Amino acid sequence: MAERCAVIGVGQTVCKSKREDVSIAGLVREAAVMALEDAGLGFGDIDAVVVGKAPDMFEGVMMPELYLAPALGAVGKPMFRVHTAGSVGGSTSLVAAHLVASGVHERVLTVAFEKQSDSDAMWALSVPQPFSAPLLAGAGGYFAPIIRSYMRRSGAPRDIGMMVAVKDRLHALKNPYAHLHLPDISMQMVEESIMLWDPLHYLESCPSSDGAAAMVIGSEKAAGSAQAATGRPPAWIHGMAMRSEPTMFAGRDQVNPRASRDCAADLYKQAGITNPRADFDMAEVYVPFSWYEPMWLESLGFCDEGDGWKLTQSGATSMVENGDIPWNCSGGVLSSNPIGASGMLRFLETALQVRGLAGEHQVDGVRRALGQAYGGGSQFFAMWVVASEKP
Amino acid sequence: MSPKGSFPELTSGRRPVGVVSFAQYDNVRREDARNEVEMLLPVVTEVFGNIGITKDDVGFICSGSTDYLIGGPFSFVAALDAVGVWPPRAESHVEMDGAWALYEAWVLLQEGEIDAALVYAFGRSSMGDLSQVLAVQLDPYYLAPLWPDPTALAALQAQAMIDTGGGCGGACAAGARRSRKAALSNPKAQVAYDRSAEALLKEDYAVAPLRRHALPPLTDGCAAVVLAAGDKAYEWCERPAFITGIDHRIETHSVGARDLTVSPSTRVAGEKAGVGAKKVDIAELHAPFAHQELILSAALGLGDGVSLNPSGGALAANPMMSAGLIRIGEAAQRIWSGDADRAVAHATSGPCLQQNLVAVLEGV
Amino acid sequence: MSEREPVTMMDATTRLEYVFTAGVAMSKNLHGYEQGKFIGQRCPKCKKVYVPSRGSCPTDGVATDEIVELPNTGTMTTYCVVNVPFAGQSIEIPYICGQILLDGANLSFMGLIQEIPIDEIRMGMRVEAVWEEPEKWGPTLASVKYFRPNGEPDADYDTYKEYL
């Protein structure tokens, strides 16, 4: 019963640790204007604006979308603000797409951003809450023990994480928008970097970035007009799914959460995916800490449980090594992490790939791609499938 | 035509979605003993219990809340414990009043993959100094550094009404009197009394020209609603309050850049939702300040025959982030009971009515 | 008028004070610390024991009223070594953050591990709580100084693998 919808415009800013050259409004407009231009549209053509970002403590402004309404051309229109922790960029994309798939709107502008240099990101993530021990030191402190559990469960060799850290940064060298450009990146460089939360080295963790991402999502009709006007094809959305589970409960599998598996199963059914490794030509997956690549490879069904590290080790996920299932050709979250935008960057990169517009980090002949974002304590999942052909 | 019951004509959307259950916390000035999860638990239990369903009967869960109110990032995450999101479920959250979480659920229900959704919202104004917290909800470069609290901004709006010859003092007192008296019959109301308009007009100014009676109370509270689509609505409710129209709009942010005496976003949202298409029996308007009820009812074109805020509205209880959702619930209740056939429910967000949502509910 | 540099940064220091409510369930847990005890709650439906208690079972969404007192011993299921400085940090780095599964509980919680060299830490270590002096006990987890190995042989992987 859902209407066909597609990504018809993509925009993103250069991600840096501090975008001191723009205000918050300037940052989001940069991405929004780029997306509109890509779609051959102006602000006046947009029916609704959906904004997504993570905790407002990252900028020190409560509900900043209210202040951003005029900057995003939203005056007189419906405006929405999604917040689902780290997966927010992904779920925001889905909320925007549903506005079109449901027939409510024809063209929706969706923007996700974080200007986390305005505040203190580490503090904003771990604002001391009374009644709980002040032990956590950022997201890494939460995920490192889980990674250790995966290493134990799978028997993976210790250097797998570092391989991912190197691969994603090599990919980033071909992405002018990525935050980290480390041309000297190597296994040795990663291993020599400080051990932040054992077993994670500093260079196995994501940076803290300012950045914004935007997309214009349109109906089938809008997609036809955009292609006619610009010559650029749309990225058709073939499936969308969201799942959540509680952060902490007895018997929870934190390494391979059921919400992730259920979300993927629902998505694959919608999009007709039976063999992810073969059916997808590439994937953009939320890997903020290196070891999450092998973990998500398993959870998303690209290999059997316990074999994720083997897939990484074989080079299958590396564009540089001409792997058959490159992951995170943009450099991924490991190379740019404006938290509120990171999920949307994953989704928009898949759109760029199936449209053939990813520039230097384009994989040849991408027809179908998977976008995935997760957040919270690995409990919120948002995923989609885009393809070059109509569903 | 459904075998169970018929559906009203829709102005918005393509699939009839009904509000079939509603529950809210006892609105209080300060909830000291229970935290957000413990407040939500009985409300969620009640909203399901009212119609004999469980969490397994809903395909989507959406909530509204804001981190800055609760003093910590990701504050909505813990609230999930009140629902028990297991097995994993499609779930989302908006950093907005629950009325917008309801909108997101309504959109998803239009597509036909799911038939029911749970919507909830919560917020405890007592945790921080709400005036200071809301000052951070402003343009960080030009407005927030002045620390204008919401009452001062609302007072600017009321003064603008007086300056342009619009009524305020007497009309506000009359409206506040009506709301607080109606609240006496609302078991969930926090502030309720029967005082004459004359008595109210003798009160001191809080921030001129607003007197104390024109201000909302500070409230800790939460609320939940169940939405059901198509035949499912009739399975769970004898007379569902169908959402025949729903729309929301936002205006520019700066209070100096717009005419505060009118609410064009409410007017447009009301038109898109089809408010004026048929007779309106009641309107639950989310007007935290008494003068705003005048602005909103004018924007919606509500005549004298419409009963405004029979629940007492936000003047009776103003739990941040759920007050808008509660307007929808209160309107729905009166449709279920047969007290009204067609109701308007409104929710607002941002300084001086910057953003507004309007829903039209009908019972068949 | 002389040329002036455009303003590119402004300091918008904000201070907001909040009063947090522990909640009914957490209060019981905190009062337990005042008496040198770990207090958890059991879910009437799934029978799992949660410590600290939060008042509601996260999978069933029902109130967890049954109080359960837990011992001082448990298994450290997994851990990480924190080496990153950040604003508001109160413990000297590097330090070990371990997930402590008290005997009888069905959910682990994060605790500080001490009295063991960092390179000797292992998953599955048996640990015990080291409390402050009784006069220092208060309604806070800080009544527990830290957890330390208690000398028992490491727990069998199977006994805690589902808690990872």
Side-chain angles (χ1 to χ4, degrees):
Chain A
M1 224 209 269
E3 303 285 331
R4 286 197 180 119
C5 53
V7 179
I8 60 177
V10 166
Q12 58 181 307
T13 65
V14 169
C15 290
K16 270 183 173 185
S17 42
K18 290 188 201 221
R19 282 297 306 266
E20 287 179 343
D21 58 315
V22 285
S23 63
I24 300 174
L27 185 72
V28 300
R29 265 186 84 87
E30 215 174 90
V33 167
M34 188 175 157
L36 286 169
E37 279 174 0
D38 186 26
L41 299 170
F43 280 107
D45 300 310
I46 297 297
D47 301 317
V49 179
V50 180
V51 175
K53 66 178 291 296
D56 293 339
M57 276 110 195
F58 279 121
E59 291 79 19
V61 184
M62 176 180 168
M63 297 161 72
E65 59 285 355
L66 293 169
Y67 135 74
L68 289 171
L72 288 172
V75 173
K77 299 178 185 163
M79 189 184 211
F80 224 73
R81 157 68 192 290
V82 181
H83 170 18
T84 60
S87 68
V88 68
S91 47
T92 301
S93 310
L94 298 186
V95 169
H98 279 300
L99 282 171
V100 178
S102 60
V104 174
H105 293 304
E106 286 274 322
R107 294 181 187 86
V108 177
L109 170 68
T110 180
V111 180
F113 74 96
E114 214 69 67
K115 195 166 194 276
Q116 51 201 69
S117 70
D118 277 359
S119 176
D120 180 324
M122 193 76 85
W123 164 82
L125 271 178
S126 323
V127 174
Q129 297 283 296
F131 317 123
S132 52
L135 289 171
L136 263 189
Y142 181 88
F143 292 115
I146 299 172
I147 288 171
R148 184 176 297 284
S149 303
Y150 170 74
M151 291 163 74
R152 173 74 198 263
R153 262 200 225 178
S154 62
R158 269 195 82 102
D159 64 348
I160 297 295
M162 295 192 284
M163 295 176 77
V164 176
V166 172
K167 166 184 75 82
D168 282 2
R169 275 59 176 272
L170 286 175
H171 288 175
L173 292 173
K174 301 186 185 205
N175 180 3
Y177 299 101
H179 175 173
L180 293 183
H181 284 136
L182 305 170
D184 298 331
I185 192 77
S186 67
M187 292 289 278
Q188 188 184 355
M189 191 177 169
V190 175
E191 189 160 20
E192 284 172 1
S193 66
I194 185 178
M195 190 70 99
L196 284 182
W197 309 277
D198 197 298
L200 282 173
H201 293 90
Y202 174 66
L203 282 176
E204 290 184 79
S205 315
C206 49
S208 172
S209 322
D210 285 353
M215 288 190 284
V216 179
I217 299 188
S219 63
E220 190 171 358
K221 188 155 154 257
S225 314
Q227 182 161 16
T230 67
R232 291 185 285 275
W236 294 98
I237 298 170
H238 283 232
M240 304 191 262
M242 264 196 281
R243 283 294 184 280
S244 303
E245 67 180 45
T247 331
M248 294 182 281
F249 61 90
R252 181 179 186 219
D253 185 344
Q254 299 236 44
V255 172
N256 188 357
R258 184 165 155 190
S260 169
R261 290 175 267 136
D262 285 2
C263 192
D266 180 2
L267 178 73
Y268 293 166
K269 188 157 164 234
Q270 289 175 44
I273 305 289
T274 50
N275 180 348
R277 184 169 176 187
D279 296 341
F280 290 123
D281 301 304
M282 65 86 61
E284 284 276 336
V285 178
Y286 206 105
V287 173
F289 301 101
S290 59
W291 281 90
Y292 270 86
E293 179 177 288
M295 288 159 73
W296 293 144
L297 279 166
E298 294 174 25
S299 186
L300 293 168
F302 282 74
C303 59
D304 290 334
E305 196 156 15
D307 288 348
W309 63 270
K310 293 180 193 164
L311 204 53
T312 298
Q313 195 182 54
S314 74
T317 58
S318 167
M319 209 170 63
V320 172
E321 293 185 46
N322 291 310
D324 61 278
I325 185 60
W327 269 35
N328 295 328
C329 305
S330 62
V333 181
L334 278 172
S335 304
S336 306
N337 190 21
I339 293 186
S342 288
M344 189 174 285
L345 284 171
R346 306 284 67 72
F347 281 40
L348 71 80
E349 282 288 339
T350 57
L352 284 173
Q353 291 278 348
V354 304
R355 295 168 77 203
L357 299 172
E360 252 195 275
H361 63 278
Q362 175 76 48
V363 176
D364 282 338
V366 173
R367 314 236 351 240
R368 205 154 37 169
L370 166 72
Q372 179 263 31
Y374 86 95
S378 297
Q379 64 194 122
F380 303 115
F381 294 88
M383 306 178 187
W384 83 2
V385 173
V386 286
S388 47
E389 301 301 314
K390 282 189 198 181
Chain B
M1 204 56 169
S2 156
K4 294 223 183 219
S6 59
F7 302 110
E9 203 183 311
L10 300 176
T11 306
S12 308
R14 58 183 67 173
R15 193 177 182 216
V17 171
V19 178
V20 295
S21 184
F22 165 60
Q24 64 178 305
Y25 202 68
D26 288 334
N27 293 296
V28 289
R29 167 69 181 87
R30 191 185 304 274
E31 171 53 71
D32 274 343
R34 292 169 160 167
N35 62 23
E36 289 77 28
V37 176
E38 291 165 339
M39 287 169 71
L40 271 169
L41 191 55
V43 168
V44 171
T45 305
E46 189 188 326
V47 89
F48 286 146
N50 282 345
I51 52 177
I53 65 169
T54 70
K55 62 183 170 76
D56 299 322
D57 293 307
V58 295
F60 180 60
I61 299 167
C62 197
S63 63
S65 71
T66 177
D67 287 338
Y68 259 100
L69 190 65
I70 302 176
F74 313 113
S75 47
F76 62 94
V77 173
L80 287 177
D81 286 353
V83 182
V85 189
W86 189 258
R89 200 124 298 198
E91 179 269 334
S92 186
H93 169 261
V94 294
E95 196 82 353
M96 308 174 87
D97 185 291
W100 278 268
L102 182 144
Y103 184 84
E104 184 177 334
W106 175 83
V107 170
L108 207 60
L109 286 165
Q110 295 299 305
E111 284 180 50
E113 294 300 313
I114 53 161
D115 294 329
L118 167 71
V119 178
Y120 64 89
F122 59 95
R124 292 173 54 229
S125 310
S126 68
M127 288 185 68
D129 181 331
L130 189 63
S131 295
Q132 291 186 346
V133 169
L134 286 178
V136 179
Q137 197 196 49
L138 301 169
D139 177 324
Y141 308 97
Y142 295 111
L143 283 181
L146 301 171
W147 287 95
D149 63 275
T151 306
L153 291 176
L156 276 178
Q157 185 178 43
Q159 186 61 46
M161 286 175 75
I162 294 172
D163 291 345
T164 53
C168 191
C172 286
R177 162 184 155 68
R178 182 202 358 97
S179 285
R180 299 237 162 88
K181 186 168 176 207
L184 288 167
S185 342
N186 179 358
K188 300 290 185 179
Q190 180 189 342
V191 179
Y193 51 64
D194 186 356
R195 295 168 63 198
S196 70
E198 292 74 34
L200 295 178
L201 284 167
K202 290 197 181 110
E203 279 180 346
D204 286 336
Y205 286 118
V207 178
L210 295 175
R211 296 179 200 275
R212 286 216 54 211
H213 63 260
L215 272 52
L218 289 166
T219 314
D220 287 356
C222 58
V225 156
V226 174
L227 297 179
D231 290 344
K232 183 71 75 180
Y234 277 111
E235 222 181 278
W236 294 342
C237 178
E238 224 183 280
R239 194 190 195 219
F242 286 107
I243 298 171
T244 56
I246 187 165
D247 190 275
H248 62 101
R249 304 279 150 170
I250 193 167
E251 295 174 33
T252 198
H253 177 68
S254 171
V255 294
R258 49 190 159 107
D259 181 351
L260 297 178
T261 66
V262 291
S263 185
S265 52
T266 304
R267 181 179 48 77
V268 172
E271 282 164 10
K272 298 284 181 185
V275 168
K278 284 192 272 182
K279 175 174 170 292
V280 174
D281 299 317
I282 62 159
E284 282 282 333
L285 306 177
H286 182 192
F289 296 91
H291 65 279
Q292 291 173 336
E293 201 189 76
L294 302 168
I295 297 173
L296 293 167
S297 62
L300 291 167
L302 302 175
D304 292 335
V306 180
S307 170
L308 295 179
N309 285 327
S311 68
L315 290 179
N318 191 29
M320 292 297 293
M321 312 318 279
S322 37
L325 182 65
I326 288 172
R327 303 281 68 72
I328 297 174
E330 291 281 2
Q333 270 184 332
R334 285 156 180 83
I335 301 224
W336 301 330
S337 65
D339 286 341
D341 292 324
R342 196 162 183 271
V344 169
H346 154 273
T348 193
S349 179
C352 296
L353 306 177
Q354 184 191 353
Q355 181 175 39
N356 295 282
L357 178 147
V358 176
V360 176
L361 305 176
E362 284 182 41
V364 174
Chain C
M1 184 121 114
S2 61
E3 280 292 313
R4 291 211 280 189
E5 291 297 315
V7 173
T8 56
M9 296 290 273
M10 55 180 272
D11 191 339
T13 312
T14 308
R15 184 192 163 86
L16 294 169
E17 286 189 17
Y18 293 86
V19 174
F20 288 82
T21 295
V24 174
M26 182 69 107
S27 293
K28 296 199 170 95
N29 170 262
L30 296 173
H31 284 312
Y33 294 134
E34 275 180 322
Q35 294 155 48
K37 295 185 202 173
F38 289 104
I39 300 290
Q41 290 188 330
R42 191 194 310 272
C43 170
K45 227 175 146 193
C46 65
K47 306 296 183 197
K48 306 281 187 187
V49 175
Y50 285 94
V51 56
S53 48
R54 292 195 311 279
S56 173
C57 175
T59 50
D60 297 310
V62 299
T64 54
D65 291 330
E66 185 191 331
I67 305 288
V68 175
E69 198 184 312
L70 291 131
N72 277 330
T73 53
T75 304
M76 190 192 71
T77 56
T78 182
Y79 67 94
C80 75
V81 182
V82 180
N83 206 18
V84 51
F86 67 100
Q89 193 176 46
S90 45
I91 309 167
E92 206 184 297
I93 53 170
Y95 58 89
I96 303 165
C97 254
Q99 285 292 119
I100 315 292
L101 184 69
L102 291 176
D103 296 328
N106 294 103
L107 190 73
S108 56
F109 59 88
M110 196 161 278
L112 178 66
I113 312 291
Q114 301 269 269
E115 292 190 31
I116 178 165
I118 287 180
D119 52 10
E120 285 177 32
I121 286 276
R122 318 163 296 281
M123 289 165 66
M125 258 174 40
R126 294 284 301 158
V127 296
E128 65 188 6
V130 175
W131 291 80
E132 289 279 2
E133 300 306 312
E135 18 337 326
K136 286 196 187 162
W137 291 350
T140 161
L141 182 55
S143 303
V144 177
K145 275 201 287 198
Y146 50 77
F147 288 81
R148 70 175 170 211
N150 72 350
E152 287 174 16
D154 287 1
D156 207 48
Y157 182 61
D158 285 333
T159 62
Y160 65 88
K161 71 174 181 209
E162 73 167 69
Y163 294 104
L164 292 177

